[in-house]
Amino acid sequence: MKAASRISALLAGIAMVATASVAKADEITVGYFLEWPMPFQYAKVKGLYDEALGMKVNWKSFDAGTAMSAAMASGDVHISVSQGVPPFVVATSAGQDLQIADIAVVYNDNDNCVVKAELEIDKDSAKELEGKKAGVPIGTAAHYGFLKQMAHFGVDVSTMEVVDMAPPDGAAAFAQGSLDMVCGWGGSLRRMKEHGNVLLTGAEKDAIGISVYDVTSVPASFAAEQSDVLAKFLKVTADMNAKWLTDSAEMLPVIAKDSGMSEEDAADTLKGFQFPTVEAQLSDKWLGKATPEFLKGVGDFFKEQGNIPASRDTYDGAVNAGPLAAAAKM
């Protein structure tokens, strides 16, 4: 299994780049995912962020949260929307000074692993995955979910050939029959399901403690020196989440086009998304208490699995609810 060495390489890369620089006064760059439709994209397309922040907002797409960490470390990206918790934990455990600014989306059904249909393996025969080949995007939420599911089923991952693959690549390889199992999210996950089956549904994963959600993350230096800019950014995002509840018909075509998806596929994906309110996010259920505890659990799990050398004693400092609290008053 090459997962541990892959994460070690990611940690080394993070350690080699400089801490993110604070954005220029007249523009910032924001990272996001294609084929991951979210309400904020309506504001992205309509220029509402530029208007609210009074500056140009550049957008850069990524295929994994690990790449977002590297981009923030180098100063190329100042805000990452919908970064997975595991890549955030990997980076902060390595010493990168990132902070969570809000809970971007909850999606237990939109991140999963799929087993080749021909194998006829389900949750009752999962042990048969030992010795099989799996395509997994290392250091991401999908990787964490994969490890947690295998631990739940008692599958010895060390017997498996785990190949680091971004979801689009994994979906293509899976369709060609070169993988026994593959993990991913969004449009890639839909394509994966055309050739196999999941072991656990989103509800079943949640029941055994596999929570899947993304955050908006920023370099701590940006949060400290551009707190007002960040608060305004989070306010627009929250407004779009609220607008989605009443104006989805107006927003869907814009979101789908910006995501590179059909309206049907975008709508299907969004059905599996939940967007916690600002009030909920500021409560103990999320940023107030549960999120730092969850970060610690993920960090300790990765350490136990040998994927990272050490986890932090506490991740309390990796959560900064101040800008979101300020946004709530705007």
Side-chain angles (χ1 to χ4, degrees), residues 41-57:
Q41 289 172 271
Y42 182 84
K44 169 183 177 290
V45 173
K46 298 295 184 179
L48 301 183
Y49 284 104
D50 304 67
E51 181 180 329
L53 274 59
M55 65 173 65
K56 178 175 175 56
V57 180

Side-chain angles (χ1 to χ4, degrees), residues 3 33 107 134 191 194 197 240 243 289 298 306 315 326:
F33 292 115
Y107 56 99
R191 291 189 287 274
E194 294 174 2
N197 58 277
M240 293 302 100
K243 181 178 175 64
K289 181 180 180 182
V298 174
Y315 289 82

Side-chain angles (χ1 to χ4, degrees), residues 113-328:
C113 296
V114 181
V115 180
K116 185 191 298 185
E118 290 87 341
L119 295 177
E120 298 185 347
I121 295 175
D122 58 20
K123 61 185 177 182
D124 297 319
S125 55
K127 283 283 286 183
E128 294 177 22
L129 287 169
E130 292 185 347
K132 299 296 191 291
K133 184 176 182 179
V136 183
I138 301 301
T140 67
H143 180 214
Y144 174 72
F146 163 73
L147 293 174
K148 290 288 283 187
Q149 287 194 56
M150 296 303 95
H152 172 72
F153 290 118
V155 175
D156 183 355
V157 178
S158 68
T159 68
M160 302 178 70
E161 181 183 356
V162 180
V163 183
D164 183 24
M165 303 187 79
D169 297 331
F174 194 57
Q176 293 167 1
S178 57
L179 296 171
D180 300 308
M181 185 179 193
V182 65
C183 305
W185 54 77
S188 296
L189 178 59
R190 281 196 308 277
R191 291 189 287 274
M192 294 169 187
K193 287 181 178 179
E194 294 174 2
H195 305 281
N197 58 277
V198 300
L199 298 176
L200 296 173
T201 65
E204 289 172 329
K205 289 192 299 176
D206 189 56
I208 62 173
I210 305 178
S211 297
V212 186
Y213 63 89
D214 286 357
V215 301
T216 298
S217 58
V218 298
S221 58
F222 181 84
E225 299 178 38
Q226 299 280 3
S227 60
D228 186 54
V229 170
L230 179 56
K232 291 176 180 177
F233 183 91
L234 298 175
K235 168 63 174 173
V236 174
T237 300
D239 287 348
M240 293 302 100
N241 289 343
K243 181 178 175 64
W244 175 252
L245 298 177
T246 57
D247 300 326
S248 60
E250 171 193 344
M251 298 172 74
L252 180 60
V254 177
I255 294 170
K257 182 177 180 180
D258 191 62
S259 300
M261 305 171 71
S262 68
E263 289 186 31
E264 181 181 4
D265 286 344
D268 184 59
T269 298
L270 279 157
K271 287 178 183 177
F273 285 172
Q274 293 88 46
F275 304 99
T277 65
V278 171
E279 181 181 14
Q281 291 180 54
L282 292 172
S283 71
D284 284 350
K285 181 178 179 181
W286 291 106
L287 302 181
K289 181 180 180 182
T291 298
E293 293 177 351
F294 182 60
L295 298 180
K296 176 62 174 170
V298 174
D300 289 348
F301 181 77
F302 271 145
K303 180 180 181 298
E304 291 166 4
Q305 294 291 317
N307 295 129
I308 59 176
S311 62
R312 291 168 52 162
D313 292 335
T314 176
Y315 289 82
D316 289 350
V319 176
N320 182 356
L324 186 62

